[in-house]
Amino acid sequence: MKVSNSIHLVEGQGFDSNMYVLLDDERGMTLVDTGHDGHRRYLVDYIKEIGQEPENIKNVILTHVHIDHSGGLSWLVKKYKPLVNVCEIEAYAIEEGDLELTLAGMFKGFMDETHVDRQLKHGETFSWGGHDFEVIVTPGHTKGGICLYDRKSKVLISGDTVFADGSFGRVDFPTGDAAELQKSLDFLATLDVEILLPGHMNAVMGDASRHIKTSAKFARMMI
Ligand SMILES: [Zn+2]
């Protein structure tokens, strides 16, 4: 689904997370999250449908290391050699093929070790396709989960921290923390967001701040 001229949503199939393709006319593509590796053909077909070549995937950013977001990383790296960008707090889980934090042990039984080229830090900016995405570390679902926020276009890529319609991420996986998630949601609720691009389920294409505020409120009642 085309979100804008420079952002496409590849909807998660089955166990896959949503994937976001960021297009830059000169530099190629950045992929945010890879999905589980079961639907690689679907991702490649989508990229070709929008007139791009998968060889032009230059970067992959993971919103967090769970296998439904990261399981496709190793084949992408082997085949297309993008640079891998993961939050400094949980990059080790990708480099060491950690079965616990990635949930690979629970769902798949293995996780390839993959080199992380750039460890993302809170507050730094990743610019691509005319967007300046600020890296915001939002612990709660996992300790090193990140959101990407473009203040100018009011776009928030939110991983599994916050979803549409008042939903939010689970806190019962390793390094999950309800109090931290509440803090993260309360912070995200202060941002001016029009477009919310979450790790699962529907994107929100207008007045997304309303959805995030509802999530922060519901979390306070439920967790
Ligand atoms: Zn997750």
Side-chain angles (χ1 to χ4, degrees), residues 64 66 68-69 103 141-142 160 173 200:
H64 62 300
H66 281 163
D68 51 329
H69 297 251
L103 307 180
H141 178 64
T142 64
D160 285 358
F173 291 132
H200 298 278

Side-chain angles (χ1 to χ4, degrees), residues 21-112:
V21 178
L22 311 180
L23 297 172
D24 186 300
D25 287 344
E26 279 154 28
R27 292 187 293 165
M29 286 172 282
T30 287
L31 182 66
V32 180
D33 287 340
T34 68
H36 183 252
D37 69 354
H39 294 83
R40 57 183 77 173
R41 176 49 49 195
Y42 185 81
L43 171 67
V44 169
D45 285 349
Y46 186 91
I47 285 172
K48 288 181 175 166
E49 263 171 42
I50 60 170
Q52 302 291 324
E53 288 300 328
E55 286 73 14
N56 275 332
I57 301 173
K58 302 297 187 194
N59 283 278
V60 174
I61 300 177
L62 299 182
T63 59
H64 62 300
V65 300
H66 281 163
I67 191 164
D68 51 329
H69 297 251
S70 67
L73 182 66
S74 67
W75 76 266
L76 270 162
V77 168
K78 280 180 201 137
K79 201 156 167 91
Y80 305 121
K81 308 204 166 32
L83 296 175
V84 177
N85 302 259
V86 186
C87 176
E88 58 177 348
I89 296 166
E90 54 189 42
Y92 74 91
I94 295 300
E95 298 220 293
E96 296 171 10
D98 181 277
L99 294 178
E100 194 188 353
L101 187 54
T102 61
L103 307 180
M106 198 187 305
F107 290 106
K108 197 173 142 193
F110 68 95
M111 182 81 190
D112 288 331

Side-chain angles (χ1 to χ4, degrees), residues 3-222:
V3 175
S4 71
N5 284 337
S6 54
I7 304 177
H8 284 255
L9 158 58
V10 184
E11 285 170 39
Q13 308 286 302
F15 188 54
D16 285 334
S17 67
N18 291 333
M19 293 159 268
Y20 295 96
V21 178
L22 311 180
L23 297 172
D24 186 300
D25 287 344
E26 279 154 28
R27 292 187 293 165
M29 286 172 282
T30 287
L31 182 66
V32 180
D33 287 340
T34 68
H36 183 252
D37 69 354
H39 294 83
R40 57 183 77 173
R41 176 49 49 195
Y42 185 81
L43 171 67
V44 169
D45 285 349
Y46 186 91
I47 285 172
K48 288 181 175 166
E49 263 171 42
I50 60 170
Q52 302 291 324
E53 288 300 328
E55 286 73 14
N56 275 332
I57 301 173
K58 302 297 187 194
N59 283 278
V60 174
I61 300 177
L62 299 182
T63 59
H64 62 300
V65 300
H66 281 163
I67 191 164
D68 51 329
H69 297 251
S70 67
L73 182 66
S74 67
W75 76 266
L76 270 162
V77 168
K78 280 180 201 137
K79 201 156 167 91
Y80 305 121
K81 308 204 166 32
L83 296 175
V84 177
N85 302 259
V86 186
C87 176
E88 58 177 348
I89 296 166
E90 54 189 42
Y92 74 91
I94 295 300
E95 298 220 293
E96 296 171 10
D98 181 277
L99 294 178
E100 194 188 353
L101 187 54
T102 61
L103 307 180
M106 198 187 305
F107 290 106
K108 197 173 142 193
F110 68 95
M111 182 81 190
D112 288 331
E113 295 171 13
T114 303
H115 176 66
V116 174
D117 298 284
R118 182 176 176 195
Q119 299 203 4
L120 299 171
K121 292 183 169 53
H122 180 78
E124 74 174 277
T125 300
F126 183 91
S127 297
W128 203 264
H131 291 279
D132 296 320
F133 287 106
E134 190 183 328
V135 175
I136 304 173
V137 177
T138 52
H141 178 64
T142 64
K143 199 173 172 54
I146 61 166
C147 291
L148 298 171
Y149 178 54
D150 179 11
R151 203 168 287 277
K152 200 172 52 189
S153 58
K154 302 178 184 175
V155 172
L156 182 73
I157 300 176
S158 63
D160 285 358
T161 298
V162 64
F163 305 112
D165 301 314
S167 269
F168 47 84
R170 291 171 61 160
V171 294
D172 56 336
F173 291 132
T175 75
D177 184 311
E180 290 288 332
L181 184 72
Q182 186 69 59
K183 264 194 250 171
S184 294
L185 292 171
D186 287 343
F187 175 74
L188 295 177
T190 66
L191 302 177
D192 186 3
V193 183
E194 275 296 311
I195 297 176
L196 177 67
L197 304 176
H200 298 278
M201 302 176 282
N202 297 338
V204 178
M205 297 302 293
D207 196 13
S209 285
R210 192 171 53 82
H211 289 249
I212 298 169
K213 287 189 173 105
T214 304
S215 299
K217 192 170 88 184
F218 282 180
R220 190 159 282 108
M221 294 187 285
M222 290 164 65

